[in-house]
Structures are given as C-alpha cells and as structure tokens.
Amino acid sequence: MTKTFSEQEVLTFARLAYQEGNAAFGVERDHCALLVIDMQEEFVKPHFTPFWVPEATRQVPRIKRLIEMCRTVSIPVIYTAFARTHHYLDRPLAGPLMPNRYAEEDAAWFRDGVIWHELAPLEDEIVLSKPSYGAFYDTPLETILKNLHKDTVIICGTLTNFCCGTTARQAYERGFKVIIGSDITATDDPAMQEPELQVLRKGFAKVLSLDEILAQLSQP
C-alpha cells in the first residue's frame, strides 16, 4: 500500500530540517579551504558607505581567529572582494535595476576591493575579484579548489543572504561540501540572518558556529 502524507506531516518534516538539519558529512581538515567572503572596506569600515554591515565589523575578531587557525593547520585561505573587473562588462545586466543599489553610489566604491586591514591576506594567499554575488560566477575559484585538491569549503564573511549564501549554493551545485559559519557571517538586516541559515541548513550546507568549526579543525 502506498503511504500517504498529511499536510501537517510534511510541514513538520520541513520545519525539522530547517531548524535542526545536519548535513551528513564530517569535517575533514585536509579537504578544506576557507573562503573569506567580501570582508572589504565598503562592508566593514564603519560609516564609510551605505552598504556598511555593522555586524560584519563586530565579527572581525572571530573571523580573524578562524583565519589564524586555518593558517596554523595549513588550510588554504582564499579571499573574495566585489570589485571592478573587466570594465564592469562581466556584471549581470539586471544588476543596476535591483533595489539594493544606492541612488547616489560613488563610482569609487567597489572598485579596488580592499580587504579590511585587520584581516589582511598574506602575500601568498589568493584574493579573487568577483563581479557579482557568488564567488564561483565568472571566477577561477572552482579550478583553484580542484588544483588544491579541496572538496570542502568553509564560508565566512558578508552578506549571509547574498554573497555568502549564493557562494554556498554555487559550491553545492558544483559538488563541493559546504560549511557555513552561523556567527561568522553577517547581514545588513539581522532579521534576515536566521531565515537564510535555515534554508542553507536544509538543502545546501552544514551550519556550524565558530567554536564548532574550530573544534573540528583542531582534530587531525
């Protein structure tokens, strides 16, 4: 006999996955690369632009702890920055039509992609300039990860529900295991943080706190 499902059963199943779901893979340190998403001056420097994310500024010390741990255990650290690339001709055409654009945007913003000084990359660390939200869109990130023999990405940075979340989805679709930090990603509206994490938790990533990530990475 074919099983049937009530509306309440499917709702309960969905809510459980959103709130308590845990992707069924372990964190293997040697397989990981850290992606530090868009921790650049436009988002992190207080009062600098209308795109400032105050929570991202507050999270700098925590993200720095993760970066230092990754360096200590030889996990590659890869930075991204939303910046001027290819004379802006590689950006999605509909971008300027979106309501997240500031009406009086200064052309100097999002041009050089300067990483916040407290999280400055080392000389041998990669900084990818990207033209849109996701770090895989029109960048060599997938090739870089494959050449590094890494199949798992740890994501921190900003914004959770734009660049971090889009990168997580793109990584998932390319066959990577995704770990996203619940308290080392930030949004411009704190009310949007948990809803985005719930979606990622259900279908795209393992969602862990910084302490949980550090505990996993401390194991050989």
Side-chain angles (χ1 to χ4, degrees):
M1 181 178 178
T2 303
K3 179 175 174 57
T4 60
F5 299 89
S6 68
E7 185 172 338
Q8 185 57 50
E9 284 177 320
V10 297
L11 178 59
T12 298
F13 174 77
R15 285 179 174 169
L16 187 65
Y18 282 126
Q19 296 168 12
E20 301 179 25
N22 184 26
F25 63 82
V27 181
E28 298 183 60
R29 190 170 76 188
D30 292 343
H31 292 203
C32 292
L34 174 64
L35 304 183
V36 182
I37 304 294
D38 297 4
M39 291 297 286
Q40 61 193 87
E41 289 187 350
E42 287 87 352
F43 294 124
V44 183
K45 183 177 180 180
H47 315 292
F48 181 48
T49 74
F51 304 101
W52 174 38
V53 181
E55 182 60 22
T57 308
R58 287 188 282 270
Q59 289 182 0
V60 165
R62 293 203 291 274
I63 292 175
K64 187 174 182 179
R65 284 179 60 201
L66 178 57
I67 291 172
E68 290 174 347
M69 163 64 99
C70 288
R71 289 170 177 164
T72 298
V73 297
S74 300
I75 291 174
V77 180
I78 300 171
Y79 294 79
T80 72
F82 184 46
R84 183 179 188 268
T85 53
H86 303 101
H87 304 288
Y88 303 118
L89 292 173
D90 52 354
R91 293 190 177 184
L93 282 175
L97 308 177
M98 295 298 107
N100 64 347
R101 268 51 176 186
Y102 186 63
E104 301 176 14
E105 184 170 345
D106 184 331
W109 297 337
F110 302 109
R111 177 179 291 177
D112 298 323
V114 178
I115 303 299
W116 184 241
H117 63 93
E118 294 180 68
L119 304 175
L122 300 180
E123 186 175 350
D124 62 348
E125 290 175 337
I126 292 170
V127 181
L128 288 176
S129 295
K130 61 186 181 67
S132 190
Y133 303 129
F136 289 86
Y137 174 78
D138 272 3
T139 78
L141 179 56
E142 182 174 5
T143 300
I144 290 168
L145 291 170
K146 288 181 177 178
N147 286 342
L148 289 170
H149 306 290
K150 305 301 179 183
D151 65 10
T152 304
V153 292
I154 303 168
I155 296 175
C156 65
T158 197
L159 277 68
T160 314
N161 53 336
F162 279 89
C163 298
C164 296
T166 303
T167 297
R169 290 165 171 81
Q170 292 175 341
Y172 164 84
E173 290 173 340
R174 286 161 174 77
F176 293 95
K177 299 171 185 175
V178 182
I179 300 161
I180 192 157
S182 61
D183 55 354
I184 45 174
T185 53
T187 68
D188 50 356
D189 179 352
M192 301 302 296
Q193 178 77 2
E194 184 55 30
E196 174 67 2
L197 291 178
Q198 288 186 349
V199 174
L200 294 174
R201 183 183 292 117
K202 182 179 180 183
F204 300 97
K206 181 184 286 288
V207 179
L208 299 174
S209 69
L210 171 62
D211 286 344
E212 289 171 329
I213 294 171
L214 293 176
Q216 293 282 340
L217 297 183
S218 67
Q219 302 173 16

